[in-house]
Amino acid sequence: AHENTGLQSQPPLEEQNYGATAAHVRQDPLVSVTRNSPAKRDYLIVGVLCYANLINFMDWFIVPGILLDIQKYFKLRDAGTGLLQTVFILCYMLAAPFFGYLGDRYNRKIILGAGIFFWSGVTLGTSFISESYYWIFFLSRGLVGIGTASYSTIAPTIIADRFDEGKRTTMLSVFYICIPVGSGLGYVLASSMADVTGDWHWAFRITPCMGGLALVLLILLVPHRIQRRTEAHRALSISGTIRVAAEKPGVQRTAKTTWCQDVISLGKNWSFVWSSLGLTAMAFVTGALGLWVPMFLYRAQVVQGIVSPCLQKSCNSSNSLIFGGITIGTGILGVIAGAEAARRLRKINNKADPLICATSMFVSALCLYVALMAAQVDILFTFIFIAFGELFLSVNWAVVTDILLYVVTPRRQSTAIALQILVSHLLGDAGSPYLIGTISNAIQAKNDHSFQWSFWSLQYSFIICVFVGVFGGGFFLLTSFYIEEDRKEAEQ
């Protein structure tokens, strides 16, 4: 769900002055020449932004990496534990449009720097909270969510402004691959620090130091004023034809529409609606898995007698370590495989993109079901099928963004992306961790307090993710019925 955030802070394309600026582009051949040969400094800037994005997502997933310790320390039940991630995502989601607005109007370097400083400071502060102040811990997670929103919405627009179309896609792909890598490293870092020091608080003291380095690199290497691509350039990079726009300004110039008219129009665009619901199902499943899988595996191991129940100060977090590795590997493999499969199959079938998404959602749901059922008898088998489930989920990230970009007319793309982010987080990963925890609590309340039932309660509540995954596949199948028609309409 996080992939799309980069595009939302581009100004709506209907506000662009096509005629004059387009003509200006044609008269100035240097524009395209400089764009086609990015300077070394541009690559350095991308390097700094990718490094900070890595830390950004490590901070997202420190809590799931040591969830068992946190739950025990603050004496939280499953519902309260799930609420931790929900608070984080809700604050992130609500702050993103605000930072998108600021990023379009004010100095982006200052906003980025302030964001990194703010979320690193809050994360460091989190490591000193005592057990009686659990509400401050919840508050701090919300504040970190706000800090990371400032980064996720603005950083990709800087990359988009430094590179021309072909290179831009490559650079943004590198930026987005930092998401699964950073997420996985979050688990690995959190569990390793808790193991080494015997105190989970130390997990929150490493990324702030890395954030400090990112801030220094940002100040030294990223220019204070990053020139925005001219309005014409941004329009033309999407339409891809400099000359047509220059010679026929009237072709591109469309009547201005209000935000409400745009939303109504998007509501009638069935490819956009169904693919957004498919993305929401993906976000729901990934949100729930991201928080609960290490805890689920621990409870399965206790039931099998592989590990003893965690009663001492620091719990064994090897599950988080392994799950972190799986997240990194399947994330990178999935994103690359999805993009490559789409590239090849589009040549044969115009509906390839939604069909790839539908198939991978169905296969992922099946793998998750097998993993859940196997957990009580064979942990290795469970890990293997969780890895396949995550791999097939990751296949879709790049492809869903692509679908949006060609079924929505360019001047409504910013609005479409903002809406898609809002819906996929609001109905997806904002609620799923809390929902799973609440159902688990309800099941435990009706049965005796045993390790067997604490495992079963989480297992039964996880089954929801399988159903949501199947629904997601269904939504992508529905997308395939409308995609050719909507694509033609968007091109016109």
Side-chain angles (χ1 to χ4, degrees), residues 112-269:
L112 283 188
I116 294 171
F117 179 78
F118 179 74
W119 100 63
S120 298
V122 173
T123 302
L124 186 61
T126 304
S127 70
F128 298 103
I129 297 169
S130 69
E131 62 238 72
S132 47
Y133 292 102
Y134 70 91
W135 59 273
I136 296 182
F137 191 78
F138 278 84
L139 178 68
S140 74
R141 291 312 289 162
L143 292 175
V144 171
I146 292 170
T148 55
S150 68
Y151 190 83
S152 293
T153 43
I154 292 171
T157 64
I158 292 177
I159 296 175
D161 285 348
R162 302 301 289 189
F163 293 93
D164 214 348
E165 195 168 9
K167 277 271 194 294
R168 187 169 75 241
T169 309
T170 311
M171 291 299 145
L172 284 171
S173 299
V174 172
F175 183 81
Y176 285 135
I177 275 181
C178 291
I179 293 173
V181 175
S183 309
L185 286 175
Y187 289 104
V188 172
L189 170 91
S191 51
S192 309
M193 286 308 294
D195 279 347
V196 170
T197 60
D199 179 4
W200 63 266
H201 288 88
W202 278 94
F204 290 96
R205 292 171 190 164
I206 302 298
T207 52
C209 302
M210 296 169 74
L213 176 61
L215 192 58
V216 171
L217 291 172
L218 183 83
I219 292 165
L220 296 178
L221 297 175
V222 177
H224 190 65
R225 296 241 23 115
I226 296 151
Q227 190 181 1
R228 293 170 195 275
R229 313 179 79 210
T230 62
E231 268 68 19
H233 231 297
R234 194 182 273 129
L236 299 171
S237 72
I238 291 169
S239 68
T241 48
I242 289 183
R243 187 165 289 120
V244 171
E247 288 168 3
K248 300 182 188 172
V251 171
Q252 292 278 14
R253 194 181 294 150
T254 330
K256 282 195 176 187
T257 51
T258 65
W259 186 81
C260 288
Q261 285 171 319
D262 284 347
V263 172
I264 291 164
S265 167
L266 288 169
K268 292 174 185 168
N269 181 332

Side-chain angles (χ1 to χ4, degrees), residues 231 303 307 319 340 440 456 460 472:
E231 268 68 19
V303 169
V307 299
N319 289 327
E340 186 58 25
S440 175
W456 277 338
Y460 296 154

